[in-house]
Amino acid sequence: MIKFNEETQTFRLDTLNSTYCITVAKKGYLGHSYYGKKIADDDISYLMRQSEYFMSDGEVFREKHTLLDFLPQELPTDGMGDFRESALAITNSNGNNGVELKYKSYKICDGAQTLPGLPSVFGKNGQSLEITTEDPVLGIEVHLIYTIFDDSDAIIRSTRIISKAKEPVYIKKALSASFDIDNEDFDIITLHGSWARERHIDRHPVHHGKQGVLSMRGETSHQEHPFIALIDHNTDQNKGSVYAMNFIYSGNFVADCQLNQFESIRLVMGINPENFCWKLNPGETFDTPQAVLVYSDKGLNGMSHIYHDLYREHLIRSPYKKAMRPILINNWEATYFNFDTEKLLDIAREASKDGIEMLVMDDGWFGKRNSDNCSLGDWVVNEEKIKGGLKHLVDEVNKLGMKFGIWFEPEMISPDSDLYKAHPDWAIQIPGREPGMSRQQYVLDITRKEAEDYAYESVAKILRSANIEYVKWDMNRQLSDIGSSKLASDQMGEYYHRYVLALYRMQERLVTDFPKLLLENCSGGGARFDPGMFYYSPQIWCSDDTDAIERLSIQEGTALVYPLSTMGAHVSVCPNHAVGRVTPFKTRGYVALSGTFGYELDITKLSPEDRSLIPHQVELYKKYSDLVRNGDYWRIASFSQNHEYDCWMSVSKDKKEALVTFVQVLNHPNFKTRFIKLQGLDPDRKYTVSFPDENQADYPEITLSGSTIMNAGIGIKRDWGDFQAKLIHIYS
Ligand code: DGJ
């Protein structure tokens, strides 16, 4: 519910359990007055008005700087005396900086707003607030847009900048959200990583000054993630306050936390202003992507539930969003580039016998690509490898009762390719400089319409040529050497954002032209695992690291914000190709079952012992996938914290059923039974607790009430050896 109180000049956004307030300060500045647990509809404007004592009521406004540097602001601007981090910086055509926004009007409407060209939350069961502010000197209007839904605690923010100026203005910084709150001994949580080690959780106390995360890589990145949370020092998985921000965007971002001289914290999120400058001509509009703010007083699990439900209900559009995904087998770790039709069909034949439902042909089927040093851009089937052509292969796979999927990397161009020979200028480059290669490839300049069309049409043509039901859209290097012969010199700062907009256009065309397609985004593993991509693909490849133990940390960090239904997870062979670790096939299966599930191995070479487990894993997936995809995820224990074991669970929305995964990572000597206290069940309901894959003598089925399971716990005996896992089914 969104309301405006004329008397107190306060906007109030009430979600299910939180309240967010904005108050118009004297002289028309927009102040932030409250964010936190839901409170009564009192006049809370005093929370902000106390900052106004620096402001004289008369004509002389002698302490403007002091006010602006002190006032909790809703969208802080550059150059006017708020010396903290700003959210908006604009320069006029004379080169003068400074933006001063004053409140003008507002409107409240039903439902969510769609941002042109950008992924946007959707849904009719909510409201949007649009507050119009203006800077008459610059001749711009800035609209602050907020959306809330009846079934969610998230607040979605973006800004729209409209030029009414006579000359162009230059937007140098346009963040999507900002708010100020008093410090309460907060810790900060961010997600950091690397290739094969994405989204590990990082938690440390907030210190004075600025701290945060960013990407300058042209994509979200393996290294840092557009997520930031402030949490009480005592907050744990199930209790305590959390304020979080996440960004529905797939390019350069910044998320900063700044603790200032008055012990006040500013949290901001948006497009990274470094190398950003957007020329806004008279009459034009610029929309920032959406940032998603969440407050939870139920710890990190409470925050995760809000994000998971929002993304499942209001961002993912795919017809697959709630549906069971086909169990796939991907040939990447099985063959790398060394495959042909016969090899793929051998894999498919064996896989189909065990109930696997889709063959995905990964990198290496086109041009003359037998290694990663050529042919990107030449999206023509290599008939020396794919003998008989693609349609023949797909038909043969279909005859086995399996679907067929294919890999692309449409945004790239190899220097050794026919495409590069024909269009060397289509590679992103700074004129006069040798562009830098990464994985021996350049990035295709998809901001050029002809290159965007070429790349899209190359994909579409292949998809039209056979019954292809899945696409893995990969991106294996990050952007550098930004130059363009097409953009004017005063528009080069638009490049990175234009690139992301072109990517979104291409994927929008893909899901429009092929509405039944299952699209999985990917970027050298999980560098594009971000909510922007959820708008186009219901699942994203989490990481090139398929080791079950490394995956515990990767999937924990990913599930902190994103639903399990989005996490691409496969069983692969051991020693694992990323870390060389040997883990039981059973454990690998259990860990992958918490994602979209599939295999990434040469099934024809698997040991009979491991192979014999596949039909059972397929059965487990069919039985529990609905629970995992659509239930509530609860983090129970974290190996990254306790260094011994990991445990998480999914509980059905009606609380009638749960699936628990326990992994004893390191054995603990002279230790008998560990009692694990679970979460999310109905305390008064009686449940059967069963260990479906364990010896019934060791783990007989028992009946317990939810309150006992959650407070006394269920017993897990110590196993011999490391990396042992258990699955526990709880049902009533
Ligand atoms: C990176 C992906 O993450 C892998 O799964 C695989 O598709 C390779 N690229 C292929 O080049």
Side-chain angles (χ1 to χ4, degrees), residues 195 222 330 332-333 336-337 362-364 369 372 407-409 439 441 472 474-476 522-526 541 543-544 570 600:
W195 172 77
H222 304 91
N330 176 305
W332 179 240
E333 285 195 28
Y336 294 103
F337 296 97
D362 210 282
D363 192 355
R369 191 158 166 96
D372 60 8
W407 175 99
F408 284 98
E409 195 176 359
R439 211 194 193 206
Q441 63 198 56
K472 177 174 172 189
D474 202 350
M475 186 220 194
N476 283 302
C522 169
S523 177
W541 184 227
S543 176
D544 276 347
H570 299 166
E600 179 135 356

Side-chain angles (χ1 to χ4, degrees), residues 225-255:
H225 197 75
F227 167 79
I228 193 164
L230 282 177
I231 64 172
D232 278 347
H233 191 60
N234 295 323
T235 290
D236 61 20
Q237 295 296 343
N238 302 310
K239 60 174 182 1
S241 290
V242 184
Y243 293 88
M245 279 196 199
N246 186 211
F247 200 28
I248 305 182
Y249 190 59
S250 313
N252 292 344
F253 67 86
V254 68

